[in-house]
Amino acid sequence: MSHSFSQLFYLKGKHFEKDVKVPIYLRLTVNGQRSELSVSRKVDPQKWSARMGKMKGTNFEANELNQYLDTVRSKINRIHRQLVEDNKPFTSSDVKNLYLGKGEKLKMLLELFDEHNQQMKKLIDIEFALGTYKRYNTTRNHVAEFIKTESGKSDIPVRDVDLKFIKGFEFFLKTVKKCNHNSALKYINNFKKIIRMAVAHEWINKDPFFIDGTLWIKSKRTKTKSRLGIPLLPTALAIIKKYKEHPKVMNEDCVLPVLSNQKSNAYLKEIADLCGIKKNLTTHLARHTFATTVTLSNGVPIETVGQMLGHKNLRTTQHYAKIIDRKVSEDMAALKGILAKEGSSITNKHGLS
């Protein structure tokens, strides 16, 4: 559905007295139809550039006003883009009303949180434990305090939640609320569920917990304290999905119902015995296999593997690379092919035999 769209900041009315400011308006035009609205700012006409649609100069007053106008322009563009994506007819008045908050009821974040918690309360001892409900209620209160601290507001539209808000909330939990990393992650995961509800109901356009569309493991290595980030592959996601409704996962700070490394290794030994595998299967071996068979053997650069493993020094990762004889053989075979082609090219060029 094609259409024309433009926006223009202009001064409404003229005043010839010195230092008397006039109001700035925004004109929206869709398919030749116009609507206008005040942007709640005034400026000295002598300092206004009609051609540029902004205040002249680079002083503090000009920069502050022009940044505000850029913010208004960005919001209007975002509204227009959403209307285009919806692929429904709209007018300049529709764009104006959406900017002013008219014609739609915005879903508020804490309102949604309260609805979720009230439903969860009714399902205590049916689907949820009392402790789970209390943790979600605590998360809601932390979010409310963060909103109040950051913006001075009692609530915000759920569509205003973005990656910056999430990172700010995590920082707030760790500094103001003095939460350790695991506790902060628990609250973030509870908050994530509320946002996923908003995405499912289309109250928010994009899940802010996705950065590149892939879920990641973000953590710190216990031994070295170095940060690690690992994008989850489909098999890992399938395993996580399988156990997402497990009571231990629902009620505790984990994504898999694992008791301990020792218990996991014991189960792996049982699996190996049942499958006739002679190798001693352990969680550490799984890490080793990921580094070699899954990543390095399939062409993932050693620097990337090192980062995912949390290695501070590339020499540590090179230990894994030394084990992959097949990769070395393939690389050398490729080099041999290149050299053979170059030799053939030289021979043909000079007529040598």
Side-chain angles (χ1 to χ4, degrees):
M1 186 178 298
S2 61
H3 64 271
S4 61
F5 170 74
S6 66
Q7 51 178 311
L8 172 69
F9 292 106
Y10 68 99
L11 302 187
K12 190 165 186 178
K14 295 182 179 180
H15 211 290
F16 299 101
E17 294 182 24
K18 188 177 180 180
D19 297 329
V20 175
K21 297 182 178 181
V22 298
I24 303 173
Y25 270 66
L26 172 60
R27 177 182 297 147
L28 303 171
T29 306
V30 175
N31 292 333
Q33 182 200 40
R34 294 179 176 180
S35 291
E36 61 180 32
L37 65 142
S38 169
V39 297
S40 304
R41 290 291 189 276
K42 293 183 177 181
V43 67
D44 183 344
Q46 301 299 318
K47 299 179 181 178
W48 179 256
S49 171
R51 184 178 65 85
M52 299 295 294
K54 64 180 184 179
M55 186 174 176
K56 302 173 185 176
T58 58
N59 58 25
F60 177 80
E61 181 186 10
N63 287 336
E64 191 279 333
L65 176 59
N66 291 334
Q67 287 174 9
Y68 173 77
L69 296 179
D70 286 341
T71 300
V72 173
R73 185 182 291 107
S74 296
K75 289 182 178 179
I76 292 292
N77 283 335
R78 190 159 57 244
I79 291 169
H80 173 252
R81 183 166 58 250
Q82 184 58 51
L83 288 170
V84 172
E85 290 176 359
D86 291 342
N87 199 29
K88 296 178 181 178
F90 63 90
T91 66
S92 59
S93 295
D94 294 327
V95 179
K96 171 184 174 180
N97 289 335
L98 287 172
Y99 174 79
L100 296 175
K102 299 177 181 179
E104 67 167 344
K105 186 179 184 302
L106 297 179
K107 195 67 175 181
M108 305 302 285
L109 177 58
L110 296 180
E111 173 189 341
L112 177 59
F113 224 129
D114 289 336
E115 290 175 5
H116 169 271
N117 289 358
Q118 288 166 11
Q119 291 178 1
M120 179 175 278
K121 187 176 182 180
K122 295 177 181 179
L123 293 172
I124 292 175
D125 295 331
I126 301 175
E127 290 187 18
F128 304 101
L130 176 61
T132 304
Y133 164 74
K134 288 183 176 179
R135 279 193 290 274
Y136 271 92
N137 207 42
T138 301
T139 305
R140 183 265 181 212
N141 292 336
H142 286 337
V143 171
E145 187 176 343
F146 173 66
I147 292 172
K148 192 70 175 178
T149 301
E150 288 296 299
S151 64
K153 298 177 180 178
S154 59
D155 203 353
I156 62 170
V158 68
R159 72 180 186 185
D160 288 353
V161 176
D162 54 14
L163 185 60
K164 180 181 178 182
F165 181 96
I166 295 168
K167 293 296 184 183
F169 180 49
E170 182 181 3
F171 184 75
F172 172 82
L173 290 171
K174 292 179 178 179
T175 55
V176 178
K177 306 309 294 185
K178 307 300 181 184
C179 296
N180 61 34
H181 179 74
N182 288 339
S183 295
L185 183 62
K186 183 196 309 178
Y187 292 128
I188 292 293
N189 284 334
N190 290 346
F191 179 53
K192 183 188 299 183
K193 181 182 178 183
I194 305 302
I195 297 303
R196 295 280 161 82
M197 287 173 55
V199 173
H201 286 85
E202 298 184 349
W203 292 319
I204 190 170
N205 298 326
K206 183 181 178 182
D207 188 345
F209 281 93
F210 283 93
I211 303 167
D212 61 357
T214 302
L215 289 176
W216 287 57
I217 295 173
K218 292 283 189 177
S219 186
K220 287 183 179 180
R221 291 212 64 198
T222 304
K223 184 168 61 176
T224 63
K225 303 301 180 184
S226 58
R227 290 185 176 274
L228 60 88
I230 307 173
L232 289 173
L233 297 173
T235 303
L237 287 171
I239 295 172
I240 291 174
K241 184 177 180 180
K242 178 179 179 180
Y243 291 100
K244 70 176 183 178
E245 303 296 336
H246 191 282
K248 185 175 177 66
V249 174
M250 295 289 290
N251 298 321
E252 298 183 22
D253 182 21
C254 62
V255 293
L256 292 174
V258 177
L259 298 177
S260 65
N261 275 352
Q262 184 180 10
K263 199 66 177 177
S264 297
N265 290 335
Y267 288 148
L268 287 172
K269 188 177 187 305
E270 290 184 23
I271 293 171
D273 291 340
L274 291 171
C275 296
I277 298 174
K278 303 302 181 183
K279 183 179 282 288
N280 183 27
L281 300 186
T282 64
T283 54
H284 181 73
L285 180 63
R287 172 181 169 84
H288 185 278
T289 303
F290 175 78
T292 55
T293 307
V294 178
T295 55
L296 287 172
S297 293
N298 286 296
V300 178
I302 191 171
E303 296 83 0
T304 302
V305 175
Q307 185 176 6
M308 289 191 289
L309 295 177
H311 290 164
K312 291 183 176 180
N313 195 315
L314 190 60
R315 282 178 294 182
T316 308
T317 317
Q318 287 170 340
H319 165 72
Y320 292 92
K322 290 177 182 178
I323 303 169
I324 311 173
D325 291 335
R326 180 167 64 86
K327 177 171 172 56
V328 174
S329 177
E330 290 173 353
D331 290 344
M332 291 305 293
L335 175 60
K336 183 179 179 181
I338 293 172
L339 294 176
K341 287 181 180 179
E342 289 181 352
S344 176
S345 175
I346 293 173
T347 299
N348 292 334
K349 181 177 180 181
H350 296 281
L352 302 176
S353 59

mmCIF file of all heavy atoms in Angstrom, residues 8-11 24 43-58 62-63 65-67 69-70 73:
data_model
loop_
_atom_site.group_PDB
_atom_site.id
_atom_site.type_symbol
_atom_site.label_atom_id
_atom_site.label_comp_id
_atom_site.label_asym_id
_atom_site.label_seq_id
_atom_site.Cartn_x
_atom_site.Cartn_y
_atom_site.Cartn_z
ATOM 1 N N LEU A 8 7.052 18.387 9.038
ATOM 2 C CA LEU A 8 7.731 19.683 8.945
ATOM 3 C C LEU A 8 7.505 20.474 10.220
ATOM 4 O O LEU A 8 6.371 20.670 10.661
ATOM 5 C CB LEU A 8 7.186 20.476 7.752
ATOM 6 C CG LEU A 8 7.662 21.927 7.632
ATOM 7 C CD1 LEU A 8 9.144 21.968 7.273
ATOM 8 C CD2 LEU A 8 6.825 22.680 6.600
ATOM 9 N N PHE A 9 8.601 20.940 10.820
ATOM 10 C CA PHE A 9 8.505 21.844 11.965
ATOM 11 C C PHE A 9 8.458 23.282 11.439
ATOM 12 O O PHE A 9 9.253 23.654 10.578
ATOM 13 C CB PHE A 9 9.712 21.674 12.896
ATOM 14 C CG PHE A 9 9.747 20.340 13.599
ATOM 15 C CD1 PHE A 9 10.655 19.362 13.217
ATOM 16 C CD2 PHE A 9 8.871 20.062 14.645
ATOM 17 C CE1 PHE A 9 10.693 18.133 13.856
ATOM 18 C CE2 PHE A 9 8.901 18.834 15.295
ATOM 19 C CZ PHE A 9 9.810 17.868 14.899
ATOM 20 N N TYR A 10 7.545 24.071 11.987
ATOM 21 C CA TYR A 10 7.422 25.458 11.533
ATOM 22 C C TYR A 10 6.905 26.317 12.688
ATOM 23 O O TYR A 10 6.408 25.814 13.713
ATOM 24 C CB TYR A 10 6.473 25.552 10.333
ATOM 25 C CG TYR A 10 5.027 25.264 10.661
ATOM 26 C CD1 TYR A 10 4.114 26.303 10.868
ATOM 27 C CD2 TYR A 10 4.563 23.959 10.777
ATOM 28 C CE1 TYR A 10 2.788 26.033 11.170
ATOM 29 C CE2 TYR A 10 3.248 23.680 11.078
ATOM 30 C CZ TYR A 10 2.355 24.726 11.277
ATOM 31 O OH TYR A 10 1.039 24.471 11.597
ATOM 32 N N LEU A 11 7.059 27.632 12.522
ATOM 33 C CA LEU A 11 6.586 28.570 13.537
ATOM 34 C C LEU A 11 5.171 28.997 13.196
ATOM 35 O O LEU A 11 4.875 29.372 12.056
ATOM 36 C CB LEU A 11 7.499 29.792 13.605
ATOM 37 C CG LEU A 11 8.980 29.506 13.902
ATOM 38 C CD1 LEU A 11 9.719 30.816 14.116
ATOM 39 C CD2 LEU A 11 9.139 28.600 15.115
ATOM 40 N N ILE A 24 6.311 26.487 18.309
ATOM 41 C CA ILE A 24 6.725 25.605 17.223
ATOM 42 C C ILE A 24 5.639 24.546 17.023
ATOM 43 O O ILE A 24 5.173 23.939 17.980
ATOM 44 C CB ILE A 24 8.060 24.912 17.538
ATOM 45 C CG1 ILE A 24 9.148 25.954 17.822
ATOM 46 C CG2 ILE A 24 8.496 23.999 16.390
ATOM 47 C CD1 ILE A 24 10.454 25.338 18.310
ATOM 48 N N VAL A 43 10.303 29.541 20.359
ATOM 49 C CA VAL A 43 11.631 29.971 19.959
ATOM 50 C C VAL A 43 11.555 31.401 19.425
ATOM 51 O O VAL A 43 10.513 31.827 18.904
ATOM 52 C CB VAL A 43 12.205 29.024 18.879
ATOM 53 C CG1 VAL A 43 11.425 29.143 17.575
ATOM 54 C CG2 VAL A 43 13.689 29.293 18.637
ATOM 55 N N ASP A 44 12.645 32.131 19.535
ATOM 56 C CA ASP A 44 12.761 33.465 18.951
ATOM 57 C C ASP A 44 12.800 33.320 17.423
ATOM 58 O O ASP A 44 13.661 32.612 16.889
ATOM 59 C CB ASP A 44 14.051 34.116 19.453
ATOM 60 C CG ASP A 44 14.234 35.543 18.945
ATOM 61 O OD1 ASP A 44 13.534 35.931 17.982
ATOM 62 O OD2 ASP A 44 15.089 36.256 19.488
ATOM 63 N N PRO A 45 11.871 33.936 16.696
ATOM 64 C CA PRO A 45 11.837 33.794 15.225
ATOM 65 C C PRO A 45 13.151 34.156 14.561
ATOM 66 O O PRO A 45 13.490 33.603 13.505
ATOM 67 C CB PRO A 45 10.717 34.751 14.803
ATOM 68 C CG PRO A 45 9.857 34.886 16.007
ATOM 69 C CD PRO A 45 10.773 34.796 17.180
ATOM 70 N N GLN A 46 13.898 35.097 15.151
ATOM 71 C CA GLN A 46 15.175 35.499 14.565
ATOM 72 C C GLN A 46 16.221 34.374 14.628
ATOM 73 O O GLN A 46 17.200 34.394 13.890
ATOM 74 C CB GLN A 46 15.713 36.742 15.297
ATOM 75 C CG GLN A 46 14.775 37.938 15.230
ATOM 76 C CD GLN A 46 14.535 38.386 13.787
ATOM 77 O OE1 GLN A 46 15.457 38.428 12.982
ATOM 78 N NE2 GLN A 46 13.278 38.700 13.472
ATOM 79 N N LYS A 47 15.983 33.412 15.527
ATOM 80 C CA LYS A 47 16.943 32.319 15.705
ATOM 81 C C LYS A 47 16.474 31.023 15.032
ATOM 82 O O LYS A 47 17.092 29.983 15.212
ATOM 83 C CB LYS A 47 17.178 32.072 17.197
ATOM 84 C CG LYS A 47 17.749 33.266 17.935
ATOM 85 C CD LYS A 47 17.923 32.954 19.416
ATOM 86 C CE LYS A 47 18.476 34.159 20.177
ATOM 87 N NZ LYS A 47 18.611 33.876 21.629
ATOM 88 N N TRP A 48 15.396 31.116 14.273
ATOM 89 C CA TRP A 48 14.806 29.919 13.665
ATOM 90 C C TRP A 48 15.157 29.816 12.188
ATOM 91 O O TRP A 48 15.109 30.798 11.454
ATOM 92 C CB TRP A 48 13.284 29.956 13.823
ATOM 93 C CG TRP A 48 12.579 28.782 13.219
ATOM 94 C CD1 TRP A 48 11.882 28.747 12.049
ATOM 95 C CD2 TRP A 48 12.484 27.462 13.755
ATOM 96 N NE1 TRP A 48 11.367 27.508 11.817
ATOM 97 C CE2 TRP A 48 11.723 26.679 12.854
ATOM 98 C CE3 TRP A 48 12.975 26.853 14.911
ATOM 99 C CZ2 TRP A 48 11.432 25.332 13.081
ATOM 100 C CZ3 TRP A 48 12.697 25.511 15.147
ATOM 101 C CH2 TRP A 48 11.930 24.772 14.235
ATOM 102 N N SER A 49 15.534 28.610 11.744
ATOM 103 C CA SER A 49 15.814 28.356 10.334
ATOM 104 C C SER A 49 14.610 27.628 9.732
ATOM 105 O O SER A 49 14.402 26.440 10.011
ATOM 106 C CB SER A 49 17.078 27.503 10.172
ATOM 107 O OG SER A 49 17.224 27.085 8.823
ATOM 108 N N ALA A 50 13.840 28.339 8.908
ATOM 109 C CA ALA A 50 12.664 27.726 8.283
ATOM 110 C C ALA A 50 13.090 26.636 7.301
ATOM 111 O O ALA A 50 12.402 25.616 7.154
ATOM 112 C CB ALA A 50 11.835 28.783 7.569
ATOM 113 N N ARG A 51 14.204 26.822 6.647
ATOM 114 C CA ARG A 51 14.674 25.839 5.668
ATOM 115 C C ARG A 51 15.067 24.530 6.340
ATOM 116 O O ARG A 51 14.737 23.442 5.856
ATOM 117 C CB ARG A 51 15.862 26.400 4.882
ATOM 118 C CG ARG A 51 16.364 25.474 3.773
ATOM 119 C CD ARG A 51 17.503 26.113 3.011
ATOM 120 N NE ARG A 51 18.675 26.294 3.857
ATOM 121 C CZ ARG A 51 19.595 25.343 4.067
ATOM 122 N NH1 ARG A 51 19.464 24.160 3.490
ATOM 123 N NH2 ARG A 51 20.644 25.575 4.832
ATOM 124 N N MET A 52 15.770 24.632 7.482
ATOM 125 C CA MET A 52 16.235 23.437 8.182
ATOM 126 C C MET A 52 15.195 22.888 9.154
ATOM 127 O O MET A 52 15.275 21.732 9.572
ATOM 128 C CB MET A 52 17.527 23.766 8.946
ATOM 129 C CG MET A 52 18.670 24.227 8.064
ATOM 130 S SD MET A 52 19.237 22.925 6.947
ATOM 131 C CE MET A 52 19.905 21.764 8.137
ATOM 132 N N GLY A 53 14.215 23.719 9.506
ATOM 133 C CA GLY A 53 13.212 23.285 10.467
ATOM 134 C C GLY A 53 13.783 23.075 11.848
ATOM 135 O O GLY A 53 13.395 22.162 12.578
ATOM 136 N N LYS A 54 14.711 23.971 12.238
ATOM 137 C CA LYS A 54 15.300 23.865 13.573
ATOM 138 C C LYS A 54 15.915 25.200 13.960
ATOM 139 O O LYS A 54 15.984 26.136 13.150
ATOM 140 C CB LYS A 54 16.364 22.768 13.607
ATOM 141 C CG LYS A 54 17.576 23.025 12.727
ATOM 142 C CD LYS A 54 18.570 21.875 12.846
ATOM 143 C CE LYS A 54 19.839 22.143 12.052
ATOM 144 N NZ LYS A 54 20.810 21.031 12.182
ATOM 145 N N MET A 55 16.383 25.291 15.198
ATOM 146 C CA MET A 55 16.965 26.536 15.698
ATOM 147 C C MET A 55 18.393 26.673 15.190
ATOM 148 O O MET A 55 19.144 25.702 15.102
ATOM 149 C CB MET A 55 16.947 26.528 17.234
ATOM 150 C CG MET A 55 17.382 27.826 17.867
ATOM 151 S SD MET A 55 17.182 27.789 19.662
ATOM 152 C CE MET A 55 17.897 29.384 20.090
ATOM 153 N N LYS A 56 18.768 27.903 14.853
ATOM 154 C CA LYS A 56 20.116 28.174 14.373
ATOM 155 C C LYS A 56 21.105 28.112 15.542
ATOM 156 O O LYS A 56 20.747 28.353 16.694
ATOM 157 C CB LYS A 56 20.201 29.562 13.741
ATOM 158 C CG LYS A 56 19.249 29.783 12.567
ATOM 159 C CD LYS A 56 19.296 31.246 12.130
ATOM 160 C CE LYS A 56 18.292 31.554 11.042
ATOM 161 N NZ LYS A 56 18.271 32.988 10.684
ATOM 162 N N GLY A 57 22.364 27.853 15.215
ATOM 163 C CA GLY A 57 23.420 27.939 16.217
ATOM 164 C C GLY A 57 23.761 26.602 16.838
ATOM 165 O O GLY A 57 23.113 25.571 16.600
ATOM 166 N N THR A 58 24.821 26.657 17.679
ATOM 167 C CA THR A 58 25.294 25.439 18.349
ATOM 168 C C THR A 58 25.442 25.637 19.851
ATOM 169 O O THR A 58 26.114 24.851 20.521
ATOM 170 C CB THR A 58 26.656 25.015 17.760
ATOM 171 O OG1 THR A 58 27.595 26.099 17.918
ATOM 172 C CG2 THR A 58 26.538 24.641 16.296
ATOM 173 N N ALA A 62 20.195 26.071 21.641
ATOM 174 C CA ALA A 62 19.910 25.509 20.325
ATOM 175 C C ALA A 62 20.039 23.993 20.329
ATOM 176 O O ALA A 62 19.197 23.276 19.773
ATOM 177 C CB ALA A 62 20.848 26.122 19.286
ATOM 178 N N ASN A 63 21.101 23.498 20.952
ATOM 179 C CA ASN A 63 21.313 22.044 20.999
ATOM 180 C C ASN A 63 20.189 21.344 21.745
ATOM 181 O O ASN A 63 19.700 20.290 21.313
ATOM 182 C CB ASN A 63 22.660 21.727 21.658
ATOM 183 C CG ASN A 63 23.834 22.063 20.761
ATOM 184 O OD1 ASN A 63 23.692 22.100 19.537
ATOM 185 N ND2 ASN A 63 24.986 22.308 21.349
ATOM 186 N N LEU A 65 17.045 22.357 22.238
ATOM 187 C CA LEU A 65 15.796 22.405 21.482
ATOM 188 C C LEU A 65 15.844 21.463 20.277
ATOM 189 O O LEU A 65 14.897 20.695 20.034
ATOM 190 C CB LEU A 65 15.525 23.829 21.007
ATOM 191 C CG LEU A 65 14.278 24.001 20.109
ATOM 192 C CD1 LEU A 65 13.018 23.546 20.833
ATOM 193 C CD2 LEU A 65 14.151 25.448 19.645
ATOM 194 N N ASN A 66 16.949 21.492 19.539
ATOM 195 C CA ASN A 66 17.058 20.653 18.346
ATOM 196 C C ASN A 66 17.071 19.160 18.682
ATOM 197 O O ASN A 66 16.532 18.339 17.934
ATOM 198 C CB ASN A 66 18.306 21.034 17.542
ATOM 199 C CG ASN A 66 18.184 22.410 16.904
ATOM 200 O OD1 ASN A 66 17.075 22.884 16.642
ATOM 201 N ND2 ASN A 66 19.304 23.066 16.676
ATOM 202 N N GLN A 67 17.669 18.805 19.818
ATOM 203 C CA GLN A 67 17.634 17.405 20.258
ATOM 204 C C GLN A 67 16.211 16.978 20.601
ATOM 205 O O GLN A 67 15.798 15.853 20.297
ATOM 206 C CB GLN A 67 18.554 17.206 21.464
ATOM 207 C CG GLN A 67 20.033 17.227 21.115
ATOM 208 C CD GLN A 67 20.925 17.164 22.339
ATOM 209 O OE1 GLN A 67 20.448 16.938 23.462
ATOM 210 N NE2 GLN A 67 22.216 17.359 22.149
ATOM 211 N N LEU A 69 13.477 18.236 19.261
ATOM 212 C CA LEU A 69 12.776 18.097 17.975
ATOM 213 C C LEU A 69 13.154 16.795 17.273
ATOM 214 O O LEU A 69 12.304 16.145 16.650
ATOM 215 C CB LEU A 69 13.088 19.296 17.071
ATOM 216 C CG LEU A 69 12.612 20.665 17.568
ATOM 217 C CD1 LEU A 69 13.012 21.759 16.585
ATOM 218 C CD2 LEU A 69 11.105 20.686 17.798
ATOM 219 N N ASP A 70 14.421 16.399 17.391
ATOM 220 C CA ASP A 70 14.850 15.116 16.817
ATOM 221 C C ASP A 70 14.129 13.949 17.491
ATOM 222 O O ASP A 70 13.766 12.964 16.835
ATOM 223 C CB ASP A 70 16.363 14.938 16.975
ATOM 224 C CG ASP A 70 17.155 15.809 16.012
ATOM 225 O OD1 ASP A 70 16.563 16.254 15.005
ATOM 226 O OD2 ASP A 70 18.348 16.046 16.269
ATOM 227 N N ARG A 73 10.644 13.848 16.136
ATOM 228 C CA ARG A 73 10.690 13.322 14.773
ATOM 229 C C ARG A 73 10.856 11.801 14.782
ATOM 230 O O ARG A 73 10.204 11.081 14.004
ATOM 231 C CB ARG A 73 11.848 13.977 14.008
ATOM 232 C CG ARG A 73 11.910 13.573 12.534
ATOM 233 C CD ARG A 73 13.092 14.207 11.835
ATOM 234 N NE ARG A 73 12.940 15.649 11.678
ATOM 235 C CZ ARG A 73 13.603 16.564 12.376
ATOM 236 N NH1 ARG A 73 14.472 16.179 13.298
ATOM 237 N NH2 ARG A 73 13.413 17.850 12.182
#
